[in-house]
Amino acid sequence: MYGTIRITKAPLSSKASAAKLTQAAQTFCYGTKPLSFVVRPSTAALQHNAISCKRPFSSTARTQLDVFPPPANAPNIKVTPPAWHHPVYTEKQMNDITIAHRTATTLSDKVALTMMRLLRMGMDFFTGYSHDHAVSRGTKNPAAARRAGWYGPMDERKWLIRCVFLESVAGVPGMVAASLRHLHSIRRLERDNGWIETLLEEAYNERMHLLTFLKMAEPGRFMRAMLLGAQGVWYNALFFAYLLSPRTCHRFVGYLEEEAVITYTRFLAEIDAGNLPLFEKTQAPEIAVRYWNMPEGKRGIRDLILYIRADEAKHREVNHTLGNLAQREDPNPFVSEYKDEGRRHPGKGIENIKGTGWEREDVI
């Protein structure tokens, strides 16, 4: 399983020799492939990397993840594609995504907003994230923001840590809500009116975000322990909260997705400012290209973040809208067919997206 690297005392005669030595060292450290966000370094960096084998925020051996692997011991299966096919986004639709905030007017809304802010503070602390709303809104230079805050600048490594932790948390609410609504439907012997499918699809979409970032860097033991503990607390807290007040939970997730849109907008601003050079020339992982059907020439990391931000904006719209509805009686407006097709209404795509959600009288 493990190979050996024979080091000789002969000097490196050329850049090609240095490159071969680096490739052998990376294969020894990372497996068959190095981290996907590592771009071609200079000759000096090659010699340094040939000695250093540490991967970003990881102390474990790298596990290679197939894109859509066939099941084990299934010789008749060629490939297992994703169950939900992602809707097509145009470049204009993704670029038109903006930051939005729904004002908390009711007591339920204020509780949801307060809990979201507490959660975000904890996530910011554990992931070393320095958050600046002014950068995301384009009113402050990202280069100036990098010098502010005691966390220090957000480099490529910190962004990957943030994204992995964020997406591991974001994949839980949809699954909790869907499972509880499924059990309610069975217990009450009544229909769910289309909510379960949308909630499951949201959880699946967030998990695809996580799998995409895991193709770029894999967490180590400490990060995995943090995720395990966070998931245990997070899942059970949401489970009991959704039993008590589904409306508050959907509003909470809507506010959480507002912050996700801000985070990825800041991510884009950092890339555009040239503060993340490793991401500028890197291509998106194959799993992302296939899932989002990314076109040729639009498969960079910046393009990938545009897709992910659009997904988060859609989840923001969905949860704010569901929080406005009667939880037991109203149908899911995102999968319903409308009598007046000429009127704007919510759907699976982002053609008619509303950042603060649809009001009940507009869709029901």
Side-chain angles (χ1 to χ4, degrees), residues 209-336:
H209 293 177
L210 177 62
L211 293 177
T212 297
F213 286 119
L214 288 178
K215 295 295 288 186
M216 301 169 67
E218 185 182 1
R221 291 186 180 92
F222 178 73
M223 187 70 170
R224 289 176 181 274
M226 287 180 57
L227 295 178
L228 180 63
Q231 186 180 93
V233 175
W234 180 229
Y235 184 95
N236 288 285
L238 276 175
F239 182 88
F240 289 108
Y242 203 87
L243 286 175
L244 295 174
S245 178
R247 187 189 304 274
T248 303
C249 287
H250 284 298
R251 185 71 71 219
F252 169 82
V253 177
Y255 286 133
L256 189 66
E257 298 295 355
E258 288 181 4
E259 294 300 314
V261 173
I262 293 175
T263 295
Y264 286 116
T265 301
R266 165 80 183 277
F267 199 162
L268 292 171
E270 289 280 301
I271 295 176
D272 293 340
N275 295 327
L276 304 173
L278 292 180
F279 287 148
E280 292 180 3
K281 300 178 181 179
T282 308
Q283 294 297 298
E286 181 63 23
I287 188 174
V289 174
R290 295 180 60 175
Y291 177 64
W292 281 284
N293 293 315
M294 301 175 70
E296 288 283 350
K298 295 293 182 179
R299 296 179 178 178
I301 297 301
R302 189 185 189 283
D303 303 301
L304 171 64
I305 300 304
L306 281 175
Y307 278 100
I308 294 177
R309 185 183 68 165
D311 286 344
E312 304 295 1
K314 186 63 184 179
H315 301 160
R316 175 186 64 187
E317 176 197 36
V318 168
N319 281 279
H320 275 320
T321 301
L322 296 182
N324 295 334
L325 305 182
Q327 301 297 297
R328 290 188 59 175
E329 295 83 13
D330 288 342
N332 179 4
F334 294 94
V335 296
S336 299

